[in-house]
Amino acid sequence: MTTIIEIKGLKKVYHMGTEKVEALKAINLKIKKGECCCILGTSGSGKSTLLNMIAGLEKPTAGEIVIKGQHIEKMNEEQVTRFRQQHVGFVFQSYNLLPNLTALENVAMPMIFGGLHKKKRHHEAKRMLTAVGLGDRLDHRPSQMSGGQQQRVSIARAFVGTPEIVFADEATGNLDTKTTIEVMELFTEMIHKNHQTLIMVTHDMETAVYADRVIHVRDGLIERIDETRDDILKGLNMKQEA
């Protein structure tokens, strides 16, 4: 598989008064096209900061972030926003759905920026909602749906238009075990079907087991990378026993 994301010497330092906090310390990482990659770590490990840097939501203090041959860290806000609209989808822990819009309207929303006609947007949104099992919830608003259903809408919104990269930040954090399994199976099915790249951040070992690779982050550094299924299971067992 070809490399779609390459990170070189990535650092992030936050200044809080006179205190300096190193959230990331010289991270080097390559992510391949079509893989499900999990960034695993405890609260404060730097995992969400790393995702935010890759996604262009925050600027690094130093280092390079190259996605599809383009340096994200050199882009201004307008350029990185346009890049995300064209190549990236997001799934968040808190769903981030617009409360006054229906499921159909929430999923169709990102396609407005692509200039698609309303009829085409709604057709694609309906197709994607049907794919995630919500074909009978098109006209429901977030308040009329369960947490699991809302996250399915969020997933449909992230995957509509088939973006090459999808970022998921603690996407199953508010879900029960049964719904977490359903959501993760949906994630892996969709990325493998469309040869997309999924980068998910989690502290949950049961979620990490769905990944092709698990990147263990601790104190702003990559502690190790589990590359095979046996290594992933062994690494998760070690964490459970620790």
mmCIF file with all atom_site columns, all heavy atoms in Angstrom, residues 177-199:
data_model
loop_
_atom_site.group_PDB
_atom_site.id
_atom_site.type_symbol
_atom_site.label_atom_id
_atom_site.label_alt_id
_atom_site.label_comp_id
_atom_site.label_asym_id
_atom_site.label_entity_id
_atom_site.label_seq_id
_atom_site.pdbx_PDB_ins_code
_atom_site.Cartn_x
_atom_site.Cartn_y
_atom_site.Cartn_z
_atom_site.occupancy
_atom_site.B_iso_or_equiv
_atom_site.pdbx_formal_charge
_atom_site.auth_seq_id
_atom_site.auth_comp_id
_atom_site.auth_asym_id
_atom_site.auth_atom_id
_atom_site.pdbx_PDB_model_num
ATOM 1   N N   . THR A 1 177 ? -21.473 -1.081 25.091 1.00 0.00 ? 177 THR A N   1
ATOM 2   C CA  . THR A 1 177 ? -20.617 -2.093 24.461 1.00 0.00 ? 177 THR A CA  1
ATOM 3   C C   . THR A 1 177 ? -21.227 -2.648 23.176 1.00 0.00 ? 177 THR A C   1
ATOM 4   O O   . THR A 1 177 ? -20.544 -2.774 22.156 1.00 0.00 ? 177 THR A O   1
ATOM 5   C CB  . THR A 1 177 ? -20.355 -3.253 25.440 1.00 0.00 ? 177 THR A CB  1
ATOM 6   O OG1 . THR A 1 177 ? -19.716 -2.731 26.616 1.00 0.00 ? 177 THR A OG1 1
ATOM 7   C CG2 . THR A 1 177 ? -19.451 -4.305 24.808 1.00 0.00 ? 177 THR A CG2 1
ATOM 8   N N   . LYS A 1 178 ? -22.506 -2.981 23.207 1.00 0.00 ? 178 LYS A N   1
ATOM 9   C CA  . LYS A 1 178 ? -23.173 -3.557 22.028 1.00 0.00 ? 178 LYS A CA  1
ATOM 10  C C   . LYS A 1 178 ? -23.135 -2.573 20.851 1.00 0.00 ? 178 LYS A C   1
ATOM 11  O O   . LYS A 1 178 ? -22.801 -2.954 19.721 1.00 0.00 ? 178 LYS A O   1
ATOM 12  C CB  . LYS A 1 178 ? -24.617 -3.908 22.371 1.00 0.00 ? 178 LYS A CB  1
ATOM 13  C CG  . LYS A 1 178 ? -25.416 -4.496 21.200 1.00 0.00 ? 178 LYS A CG  1
ATOM 14  C CD  . LYS A 1 178 ? -26.807 -4.880 21.666 1.00 0.00 ? 178 LYS A CD  1
ATOM 15  C CE  . LYS A 1 178 ? -27.650 -5.455 20.501 1.00 0.00 ? 178 LYS A CE  1
ATOM 16  N NZ  . LYS A 1 178 ? -27.941 -4.423 19.487 1.00 0.00 ? 178 LYS A NZ  1
ATOM 17  N N   . THR A 1 179 ? -23.452 -1.308 21.132 1.00 0.00 ? 179 THR A N   1
ATOM 18  C CA  . THR A 1 179 ? -23.472 -0.307 20.070 1.00 0.00 ? 179 THR A CA  1
ATOM 19  C C   . THR A 1 179 ? -22.058 -0.008 19.587 1.00 0.00 ? 179 THR A C   1
ATOM 20  O O   . THR A 1 179 ? -21.840 0.239  18.398 1.00 0.00 ? 179 THR A O   1
ATOM 21  C CB  . THR A 1 179 ? -24.151 0.990  20.572 1.00 0.00 ? 179 THR A CB  1
ATOM 22  O OG1 . THR A 1 179 ? -25.411 0.673  21.149 1.00 0.00 ? 179 THR A OG1 1
ATOM 23  C CG2 . THR A 1 179 ? -24.372 1.968  19.425 1.00 0.00 ? 179 THR A CG2 1
ATOM 24  N N   . THR A 1 180 ? -21.074 -0.041 20.487 1.00 0.00 ? 180 THR A N   1
ATOM 25  C CA  . THR A 1 180 ? -19.673 0.151  20.099 1.00 0.00 ? 180 THR A CA  1
ATOM 26  C C   . THR A 1 180 ? -19.242 -0.891 19.078 1.00 0.00 ? 180 THR A C   1
ATOM 27  O O   . THR A 1 180 ? -18.617 -0.577 18.063 1.00 0.00 ? 180 THR A O   1
ATOM 28  C CB  . THR A 1 180 ? -18.759 0.077  21.338 1.00 0.00 ? 180 THR A CB  1
ATOM 29  O OG1 . THR A 1 180 ? -19.014 1.211  22.175 1.00 0.00 ? 180 THR A OG1 1
ATOM 30  C CG2 . THR A 1 180 ? -17.283 0.079  20.940 1.00 0.00 ? 180 THR A CG2 1
ATOM 31  N N   . ILE A 1 181 ? -19.589 -2.147 19.330 1.00 0.00 ? 181 ILE A N   1
ATOM 32  C CA  . ILE A 1 181 ? -19.253 -3.231 18.396 1.00 0.00 ? 181 ILE A CA  1
ATOM 33  C C   . ILE A 1 181 ? -19.907 -2.985 17.042 1.00 0.00 ? 181 ILE A C   1
ATOM 34  O O   . ILE A 1 181 ? -19.271 -3.118 15.988 1.00 0.00 ? 181 ILE A O   1
ATOM 35  C CB  . ILE A 1 181 ? -19.678 -4.594 18.973 1.00 0.00 ? 181 ILE A CB  1
ATOM 36  C CG1 . ILE A 1 181 ? -18.826 -4.942 20.202 1.00 0.00 ? 181 ILE A CG1 1
ATOM 37  C CG2 . ILE A 1 181 ? -19.568 -5.696 17.927 1.00 0.00 ? 181 ILE A CG2 1
ATOM 38  C CD1 . ILE A 1 181 ? -19.316 -6.138 20.986 1.00 0.00 ? 181 ILE A CD1 1
ATOM 39  N N   . GLU A 1 182 ? -21.177 -2.602 17.057 1.00 0.00 ? 182 GLU A N   1
ATOM 40  C CA  . GLU A 1 182 ? -21.899 -2.334 15.808 1.00 0.00 ? 182 GLU A CA  1
ATOM 41  C C   . GLU A 1 182 ? -21.241 -1.200 15.028 1.00 0.00 ? 182 GLU A C   1
ATOM 42  O O   . GLU A 1 182 ? -21.068 -1.287 13.800 1.00 0.00 ? 182 GLU A O   1
ATOM 43  C CB  . GLU A 1 182 ? -23.359 -1.982 16.112 1.00 0.00 ? 182 GLU A CB  1
ATOM 44  C CG  . GLU A 1 182 ? -24.177 -3.146 16.652 1.00 0.00 ? 182 GLU A CG  1
ATOM 45  C CD  . GLU A 1 182 ? -25.566 -2.725 17.091 1.00 0.00 ? 182 GLU A CD  1
ATOM 46  O OE1 . GLU A 1 182 ? -25.855 -1.508 17.070 1.00 0.00 ? 182 GLU A OE1 1
ATOM 47  O OE2 . GLU A 1 182 ? -26.374 -3.597 17.462 1.00 0.00 ? 182 GLU A OE2 1
ATOM 48  N N   . VAL A 1 183 ? -20.872 -0.129 15.736 1.00 0.00 ? 183 VAL A N   1
ATOM 49  C CA  . VAL A 1 183 ? -20.259 1.033  15.088 1.00 0.00 ? 183 VAL A CA  1
ATOM 50  C C   . VAL A 1 183 ? -18.892 0.686  14.515 1.00 0.00 ? 183 VAL A C   1
ATOM 51  O O   . VAL A 1 183 ? -18.555 1.059  13.381 1.00 0.00 ? 183 VAL A O   1
ATOM 52  C CB  . VAL A 1 183 ? -20.169 2.213  16.078 1.00 0.00 ? 183 VAL A CB  1
ATOM 53  C CG1 . VAL A 1 183 ? -19.225 3.299  15.557 1.00 0.00 ? 183 VAL A CG1 1
ATOM 54  C CG2 . VAL A 1 183 ? -21.549 2.806  16.327 1.00 0.00 ? 183 VAL A CG2 1
ATOM 55  N N   . MET A 1 184 ? -18.085 -0.072 15.280 1.00 0.00 ? 184 MET A N   1
ATOM 56  C CA  . MET A 1 184 ? -16.751 -0.423 14.789 1.00 0.00 ? 184 MET A CA  1
ATOM 57  C C   . MET A 1 184 ? -16.823 -1.372 13.597 1.00 0.00 ? 184 MET A C   1
ATOM 58  O O   . MET A 1 184 ? -16.029 -1.262 12.654 1.00 0.00 ? 184 MET A O   1
ATOM 59  C CB  . MET A 1 184 ? -15.925 -1.050 15.915 1.00 0.00 ? 184 MET A CB  1
ATOM 60  C CG  . MET A 1 184 ? -15.510 -0.058 17.005 1.00 0.00 ? 184 MET A CG  1
ATOM 61  S SD  . MET A 1 184 ? -14.766 1.461  16.355 1.00 0.00 ? 184 MET A SD  1
ATOM 62  C CE  . MET A 1 184 ? -13.417 0.834  15.362 1.00 0.00 ? 184 MET A CE  1
ATOM 63  N N   . GLU A 1 185 ? -17.770 -2.282 13.605 1.00 0.00 ? 185 GLU A N   1
ATOM 64  C CA  . GLU A 1 185 ? -17.946 -3.165 12.454 1.00 0.00 ? 185 GLU A CA  1
ATOM 65  C C   . GLU A 1 185 ? -18.379 -2.369 11.228 1.00 0.00 ? 185 GLU A C   1
ATOM 66  O O   . GLU A 1 185 ? -17.956 -2.647 10.100 1.00 0.00 ? 185 GLU A O   1
ATOM 67  C CB  . GLU A 1 185 ? -18.966 -4.262 12.784 1.00 0.00 ? 185 GLU A CB  1
ATOM 68  C CG  . GLU A 1 185 ? -18.420 -5.301 13.758 1.00 0.00 ? 185 GLU A CG  1
ATOM 69  C CD  . GLU A 1 185 ? -19.442 -6.360 14.134 1.00 0.00 ? 185 GLU A CD  1
ATOM 70  O OE1 . GLU A 1 185 ? -20.639 -6.164 13.812 1.00 0.00 ? 185 GLU A OE1 1
ATOM 71  O OE2 . GLU A 1 185 ? -19.055 -7.375 14.743 1.00 0.00 ? 185 GLU A OE2 1
ATOM 72  N N   . LEU A 1 186 ? -19.196 -1.353 11.463 1.00 0.00 ? 186 LEU A N   1
ATOM 73  C CA  . LEU A 1 186 ? -19.633 -0.466 10.374 1.00 0.00 ? 186 LEU A CA  1
ATOM 74  C C   . LEU A 1 186 ? -18.450 0.322  9.818  1.00 0.00 ? 186 LEU A C   1
ATOM 75  O O   . LEU A 1 186 ? -18.276 0.438  8.600  1.00 0.00 ? 186 LEU A O   1
ATOM 76  C CB  . LEU A 1 186 ? -20.716 0.480  10.892 1.00 0.00 ? 186 LEU A CB  1
ATOM 77  C CG  . LEU A 1 186 ? -21.350 1.451  9.912  1.00 0.00 ? 186 LEU A CG  1
ATOM 78  C CD1 . LEU A 1 186 ? -21.990 0.700  8.753  1.00 0.00 ? 186 LEU A CD1 1
ATOM 79  C CD2 . LEU A 1 186 ? -22.394 2.296  10.630 1.00 0.00 ? 186 LEU A CD2 1
ATOM 80  N N   . PHE A 1 187 ? -17.625 0.871  10.715 1.00 0.00 ? 187 PHE A N   1
ATOM 81  C CA  . PHE A 1 187 ? -16.412 1.594  10.304 1.00 0.00 ? 187 PHE A CA  1
ATOM 82  C C   . PHE A 1 187 ? -15.544 0.735  9.384  1.00 0.00 ? 187 PHE A C   1
ATOM 83  O O   . PHE A 1 187 ? -15.173 1.144  8.290  1.00 0.00 ? 187 PHE A O   1
ATOM 84  C CB  . PHE A 1 187 ? -15.575 1.962  11.537 1.00 0.00 ? 187 PHE A CB  1
ATOM 85  C CG  . PHE A 1 187 ? -15.819 3.341  12.068 1.00 0.00 ? 187 PHE A CG  1
ATOM 86  C CD1 . PHE A 1 187 ? -15.918 3.560  13.426 1.00 0.00 ? 187 PHE A CD1 1
ATOM 87  C CD2 . PHE A 1 187 ? -15.923 4.431  11.213 1.00 0.00 ? 187 PHE A CD2 1
ATOM 88  C CE1 . PHE A 1 187 ? -16.129 4.838  13.933 1.00 0.00 ? 187 PHE A CE1 1
ATOM 89  C CE2 . PHE A 1 187 ? -16.134 5.709  11.707 1.00 0.00 ? 187 PHE A CE2 1
ATOM 90  C CZ  . PHE A 1 187 ? -16.244 5.901  13.067 1.00 0.00 ? 187 PHE A CZ  1
ATOM 91  N N   . THR A 1 188 ? -15.183 -0.439 9.864  1.00 0.00 ? 188 THR A N   1
ATOM 92  C CA  . THR A 1 188 ? -14.240 -1.280 9.125  1.00 0.00 ? 188 THR A CA  1
ATOM 93  C C   . THR A 1 188 ? -14.830 -1.757 7.802  1.00 0.00 ? 188 THR A C   1
ATOM 94  O O   . THR A 1 188 ? -14.128 -1.831 6.792  1.00 0.00 ? 188 THR A O   1
ATOM 95  C CB  . THR A 1 188 ? -13.796 -2.484 9.985  1.00 0.00 ? 188 THR A CB  1
ATOM 96  O OG1 . THR A 1 188 ? -14.957 -3.184 10.462 1.00 0.00 ? 188 THR A OG1 1
ATOM 97  C CG2 . THR A 1 188 ? -12.977 -2.031 11.176 1.00 0.00 ? 188 THR A CG2 1
ATOM 98  N N   . GLU A 1 189 ? -16.130 -2.045 7.810  1.00 0.00 ? 189 GLU A N   1
ATOM 99  C CA  . GLU A 1 189 ? -16.789 -2.465 6.569  1.00 0.00 ? 189 GLU A CA  1
ATOM 100 C C   . GLU A 1 189 ? -16.717 -1.355 5.514  1.00 0.00 ? 189 GLU A C   1
ATOM 101 O O   . GLU A 1 189 ? -16.397 -1.605 4.345  1.00 0.00 ? 189 GLU A O   1
ATOM 102 C CB  . GLU A 1 189 ? -18.256 -2.805 6.849  1.00 0.00 ? 189 GLU A CB  1
ATOM 103 C CG  . GLU A 1 189 ? -19.055 -3.173 5.606  1.00 0.00 ? 189 GLU A CG  1
ATOM 104 C CD  . GLU A 1 189 ? -20.541 -3.329 5.875  1.00 0.00 ? 189 GLU A CD  1
ATOM 105 O OE1 . GLU A 1 189 ? -20.938 -3.414 7.064  1.00 0.00 ? 189 GLU A OE1 1
ATOM 106 O OE2 . GLU A 1 189 ? -21.314 -3.344 4.903  1.00 0.00 ? 189 GLU A OE2 1
ATOM 107 N N   . MET A 1 190 ? -16.962 -0.113 5.940  1.00 0.00 ? 190 MET A N   1
ATOM 108 C CA  . MET A 1 190 ? -17.017 0.996  4.991  1.00 0.00 ? 190 MET A CA  1
ATOM 109 C C   . MET A 1 190 ? -15.639 1.346  4.446  1.00 0.00 ? 190 MET A C   1
ATOM 110 O O   . MET A 1 190 ? -15.478 1.598  3.252  1.00 0.00 ? 190 MET A O   1
ATOM 111 C CB  . MET A 1 190 ? -17.665 2.221  5.656  1.00 0.00 ? 190 MET A CB  1
ATOM 112 C CG  . MET A 1 190 ? -19.004 1.882  6.195  1.00 0.00 ? 190 MET A CG  1
ATOM 113 S SD  . MET A 1 190 ? -20.408 2.931  6.020  1.00 0.00 ? 190 MET A SD  1
ATOM 114 C CE  . MET A 1 190 ? -20.148 4.276  5.079  1.00 0.00 ? 190 MET A CE  1
ATOM 115 N N   . ILE A 1 191 ? -14.617 1.359  5.303  1.00 0.00 ? 191 ILE A N   1
ATOM 116 C CA  . ILE A 1 191 ? -13.300 1.753  4.797  1.00 0.00 ? 191 ILE A CA  1
ATOM 117 C C   . ILE A 1 191 ? -12.702 0.680  3.897  1.00 0.00 ? 191 ILE A C   1
ATOM 118 O O   . ILE A 1 191 ? -12.051 0.998  2.904  1.00 0.00 ? 191 ILE A O   1
ATOM 119 C CB  . ILE A 1 191 ? -12.320 2.116  5.933  1.00 0.00 ? 191 ILE A CB  1
ATOM 120 C CG1 . ILE A 1 191 ? -12.000 0.897  6.803  1.00 0.00 ? 191 ILE A CG1 1
ATOM 121 C CG2 . ILE A 1 191 ? -12.808 3.280  6.757  1.00 0.00 ? 191 ILE A CG2 1
ATOM 122 C CD1 . ILE A 1 191 ? -10.724 1.062  7.592  1.00 0.00 ? 191 ILE A CD1 1
ATOM 123 N N   . HIS A 1 192 ? -12.943 -0.581 4.222  1.00 0.00 ? 192 HIS A N   1
ATOM 124 C CA  . HIS A 1 192 ? -12.400 -1.642 3.390  1.00 0.00 ? 192 HIS A CA  1
ATOM 125 C C   . HIS A 1 192 ? -13.139 -1.733 2.049  1.00 0.00 ? 192 HIS A C   1
ATOM 126 O O   . HIS A 1 192 ? -12.525 -1.986 1.006  1.00 0.00 ? 192 HIS A O   1
ATOM 127 C CB  . HIS A 1 192 ? -12.452 -2.983 4.123  1.00 0.00 ? 192 HIS A CB  1
ATOM 128 C CG  . HIS A 1 192 ? -11.497 -3.052 5.278  1.00 0.00 ? 192 HIS A CG  1
ATOM 129 N ND1 . HIS A 1 192 ? -11.793 -3.677 6.467  1.00 0.00 ? 192 HIS A ND1 1
ATOM 130 C CD2 . HIS A 1 192 ? -10.250 -2.534 5.434  1.00 0.00 ? 192 HIS A CD2 1
ATOM 131 C CE1 . HIS A 1 192 ? -10.762 -3.563 7.297  1.00 0.00 ? 192 HIS A CE1 1
ATOM 132 N NE2 . HIS A 1 192 ? -9.823  -2.866 6.690  1.00 0.00 ? 192 HIS A NE2 1
ATOM 133 N N   . LYS A 1 193 ? -14.431 -1.479 2.073  1.00 0.00 ? 193 LYS A N   1
ATOM 134 C CA  . LYS A 1 193 ? -15.228 -1.511 0.850  1.00 0.00 ? 193 LYS A CA  1
ATOM 135 C C   . LYS A 1 193 ? -14.765 -0.427 -0.129 1.00 0.00 ? 193 LYS A C   1
ATOM 136 O O   . LYS A 1 193 ? -14.687 -0.664 -1.343 1.00 0.00 ? 193 LYS A O   1
ATOM 137 C CB  . LYS A 1 193 ? -16.707 -1.310 1.188  1.00 0.00 ? 193 LYS A CB  1
ATOM 138 C CG  . LYS A 1 193 ? -17.626 -1.282 -0.023 1.00 0.00 ? 193 LYS A CG  1
ATOM 139 C CD  . LYS A 1 193 ? -19.068 -1.037 0.410  1.00 0.00 ? 193 LYS A CD  1
ATOM 140 C CE  . LYS A 1 193 ? -19.990 -0.927 -0.792 1.00 0.00 ? 193 LYS A CE  1
ATOM 141 N NZ  . LYS A 1 193 ? -21.396 -0.664 -0.375 1.00 0.00 ? 193 LYS A NZ  1
ATOM 142 N N   . ASN A 1 194 ? -14.450 0.759  0.383  1.00 0.00 ? 194 ASN A N   1
ATOM 143 C CA  . ASN A 1 194 ? -14.117 1.901  -0.474 1.00 0.00 ? 194 ASN A CA  1
ATOM 144 C C   . ASN A 1 194 ? -12.624 2.233  -0.492 1.00 0.00 ? 194 ASN A C   1
ATOM 145 O O   . ASN A 1 194 ? -12.227 3.247  -1.062 1.00 0.00 ? 194 ASN A O   1
ATOM 146 C CB  . ASN A 1 194 ? -14.913 3.134  -0.030 1.00 0.00 ? 194 ASN A CB  1
ATOM 147 C CG  . ASN A 1 194 ? -16.408 2.943  -0.155 1.00 0.00 ? 194 ASN A CG  1
ATOM 148 O OD1 . ASN A 1 194 ? -16.898 2.571  -1.213 1.00 0.00 ? 194 ASN A OD1 1
ATOM 149 N ND2 . ASN A 1 194 ? -17.137 3.162  0.928  1.00 0.00 ? 194 ASN A ND2 1
ATOM 150 N N   . HIS A 1 195 ? -11.798 1.390  0.151  1.00 0.00 ? 195 HIS A N   1
ATOM 151 C CA  . HIS A 1 195 ? -10.353 1.587  0.213  1.00 0.00 ? 195 HIS A CA  1
ATOM 152 C C   . HIS A 1 195 ? -10.008 2.989  0.765  1.00 0.00 ? 195 HIS A C   1
ATOM 153 O O   . HIS A 1 195 ? -9.194  3.726  0.212  1.00 0.00 ? 195 HIS A O   1
ATOM 154 C CB  . HIS A 1 195 ? -9.717  1.395  -1.165 1.00 0.00 ? 195 HIS A CB  1
ATOM 155 C CG  . HIS A 1 195 ? -8.236  1.122  -1.104 1.00 0.00 ? 195 HIS A CG  1
ATOM 156 N ND1 . HIS A 1 195 ? -7.689  0.124  -0.311 1.00 0.00 ? 195 HIS A ND1 1
ATOM 157 C CD2 . HIS A 1 195 ? -7.186  1.738  -1.712 1.00 0.00 ? 195 HIS A CD2 1
ATOM 158 C CE1 . HIS A 1 195 ? -6.381  0.131  -0.451 1.00 0.00 ? 195 HIS A CE1 1
ATOM 159 N NE2 . HIS A 1 195 ? -6.050  1.098  -1.289 1.00 0.00 ? 195 HIS A NE2 1
ATOM 160 N N   . GLN A 1 196 ? -10.691 3.332  1.856  1.00 0.00 ? 196 GLN A N   1
ATOM 161 C CA  . GLN A 1 196 ? -10.436 4.610  2.531  1.00 0.00 ? 196 GLN A CA  1
ATOM 162 C C   . GLN A 1 196 ? -9.481  4.390  3.710  1.00 0.00 ? 196 GLN A C   1
ATOM 163 O O   . GLN A 1 196 ? -9.267  3.259  4.152  1.00 0.00 ? 196 GLN A O   1
ATOM 164 C CB  . GLN A 1 196 ? -11.755 5.209  3.025  1.00 0.00 ? 196 GLN A CB  1
ATOM 165 C CG  . GLN A 1 196 ? -12.697 5.630  1.906  1.00 0.00 ? 196 GLN A CG  1
ATOM 166 C CD  . GLN A 1 196 ? -14.125 5.806  2.392  1.00 0.00 ? 196 GLN A CD  1
ATOM 167 O OE1 . GLN A 1 196 ? -14.847 4.838  2.609  1.00 0.00 ? 196 GLN A OE1 1
ATOM 168 N NE2 . GLN A 1 196 ? -14.534 7.049  2.569  1.00 0.00 ? 196 GLN A NE2 1
ATOM 169 N N   . THR A 1 197 ? -8.946  5.477  4.223  1.00 0.00 ? 197 THR A N   1
ATOM 170 C CA  . THR A 1 197 ? -8.045  5.424  5.369  1.00 0.00 ? 197 THR A CA  1
ATOM 171 C C   . THR A 1 197 ? -8.771  5.959  6.598  1.00 0.00 ? 197 THR A C   1
ATOM 172 O O   . THR A 1 197 ? -9.342  7.055  6.560  1.00 0.00 ? 197 THR A O   1
ATOM 173 C CB  . THR A 1 197 ? -6.789  6.280  5.107  1.00 0.00 ? 197 THR A CB  1
ATOM 174 O OG1 . THR A 1 197 ? -6.132  5.791  3.936  1.00 0.00 ? 197 THR A OG1 1
ATOM 175 C CG2 . THR A 1 197 ? -5.828  6.221  6.286  1.00 0.00 ? 197 THR A CG2 1
ATOM 176 N N   . LEU A 1 198 ? -8.773  5.187  7.669  1.00 0.00 ? 198 LEU A N   1
ATOM 177 C CA  . LEU A 1 198 ? -9.400  5.603  8.924  1.00 0.00 ? 198 LEU A CA  1
ATOM 178 C C   . LEU A 1 198 ? -8.330  5.780  9.984  1.00 0.00 ? 198 LEU A C   1
ATOM 179 O O   . LEU A 1 198 ? -7.526  4.877  10.228 1.00 0.00 ? 198 LEU A O   1
ATOM 180 C CB  . LEU A 1 198 ? -10.421 4.563  9.390  1.00 0.00 ? 198 LEU A CB  1
ATOM 181 C CG  . LEU A 1 198 ? -11.047 4.789  10.779 1.00 0.00 ? 198 LEU A CG  1
ATOM 182 C CD1 . LEU A 1 198 ? -11.901 6.062  10.781 1.00 0.00 ? 198 LEU A CD1 1
ATOM 183 C CD2 . LEU A 1 198 ? -11.893 3.588  11.196 1.00 0.00 ? 198 LEU A CD2 1
ATOM 184 N N   . ILE A 1 199 ? -8.314  6.948  10.611 1.00 0.00 ? 199 ILE A N   1
ATOM 185 C CA  . ILE A 1 199 ? -7.422  7.215  11.737 1.00 0.00 ? 199 ILE A CA  1
ATOM 186 C C   . ILE A 1 199 ? -8.297  7.497  12.942 1.00 0.00 ? 199 ILE A C   1
ATOM 187 O O   . ILE A 1 199 ? -9.008  8.500  12.983 1.00 0.00 ? 199 ILE A O   1
ATOM 188 C CB  . ILE A 1 199 ? -6.491  8.412  11.455 1.00 0.00 ? 199 ILE A CB  1
ATOM 189 C CG1 . ILE A 1 199 ? -5.682  8.161  10.188 1.00 0.00 ? 199 ILE A CG1 1
ATOM 190 C CG2 . ILE A 1 199 ? -5.552  8.648  12.646 1.00 0.00 ? 199 ILE A CG2 1
ATOM 191 C CD1 . ILE A 1 199 ? -4.937  9.381  9.701  1.00 0.00 ? 199 ILE A CD1 1
#
